[in-house]
Structure formats: structure tokens, C-alpha cells
Amino acid sequence: MKRARDWLHLLLPGDWAVMLLGAALVATSFALLWRGGSADRAVVRRDGQVVAELPLSAPKKVTIPGAIGDTIVEIQPGRARVLSDPGLHQYCVKQGWLSQAGAIAICAPNHVSLALKGSASSHDSLAY
């Protein structure tokens, strides 16, 4: 079995150039395409239905009744988070502050979700 270093002498300068160009293309496309942009509003859903659409311009706390209790969503300028939820594992609370368009925190046991929207979002819809 040959090791990688045994194959290095077979690579020509053009091969190295293609590999470097490919790596640069991947890095550039990742930086340009893997972002949701800035968010301007938070959309809160319960059972897939929109129950609140809030601007991210002013601080606010909203209580959303869910299947097993109340979920509290906190809004600060430019960001939002699930402050508390009655779910056992607290995954949506541990998600922390969301600030990019397309970011989502789902409180599945309580059937509540928080999604950020902006002028260019990467998600069209959300379903349980």
C-alpha cells in the first residue's frame, strides 16, 4: 500500500494549480453563499401557523402558549432568542441569540418555532 507522499512526485505544476483554484473557489463560494444576510423581523409559529411577526428594531418579550406550556421569545435590536420553554431538553433555548436571516429555533415538544426573516432568506417554509 502506497502512502500519499509516494504519489506527490506524480503531480505536475498544472495539477497543483487546479487544486489551488478549486480550494479557492470552494472557500469563496462558502463565504458568499452560506449566509442568510441580516434579519429584520422574527416570525413565531405555533403548529405551523404564524402567531406573531415582530420587527427586530425594539426590545420586546412575547409569551406564546404552546402544547405543554408557555414559550417566551425575547427580541433585541437585530436579534432574537427563545428565552424560556417548558420542553425537557431546552434545545431551542440553548440555540441562543439568532441574528441571521433564515436562522431557526424549534421548540418541538411545545410546537413553537422562532424564525428570522430578512430581504434574502434561505428558507421558504417551515413544517413539523
Side-chain angles (χ1 to χ4, degrees):
M1 184 165 80
K2 292 191 173 202
R3 296 181 182 191
R5 67 176 177 213
D6 295 333
W7 292 93
L8 288 177
H9 74 279
L10 297 175
L11 294 176
L12 300 173
D15 298 327
W16 288 104
V18 168
M19 286 191 293
L20 282 173
L21 181 64
L25 181 65
V26 168
T28 302
S29 64
F30 180 78
L32 293 175
L33 301 175
W34 193 263
R35 59 181 175 173
S38 61
D40 58 6
R41 64 191 183 283
V43 178
V44 181
R45 290 184 169 92
R46 182 182 57 231
D47 292 321
Q49 303 296 319
V50 175
V51 294
E53 191 163 336
L54 309 161
L56 296 179
S57 56
K60 188 174 190 173
K61 287 184 184 175
V62 179
T63 301
I64 307 297
I68 61 173
D70 291 342
T71 297
I72 300 174
V73 174
E74 181 180 9
I75 306 291
Q76 290 291 326
R79 61 188 188 161
R81 70 176 175 169
V82 176
L83 182 62
S84 69
D85 182 72
L88 178 63
H89 298 291
Q90 300 287 301
Y91 292 130
C92 58
V93 175
K94 292 176 184 175
Q95 185 94 20
W97 290 103
L98 306 176
S99 59
Q100 296 293 318
I104 299 173
I106 300 174
C107 305
N110 207 23
H111 302 199
V112 174
S113 67
L114 166 66
L116 298 188
K117 300 290 182 182
S119 57
S121 178
S122 60
H123 298 90
D124 291 334
S125 65
L126 176 69
Y128 289 102

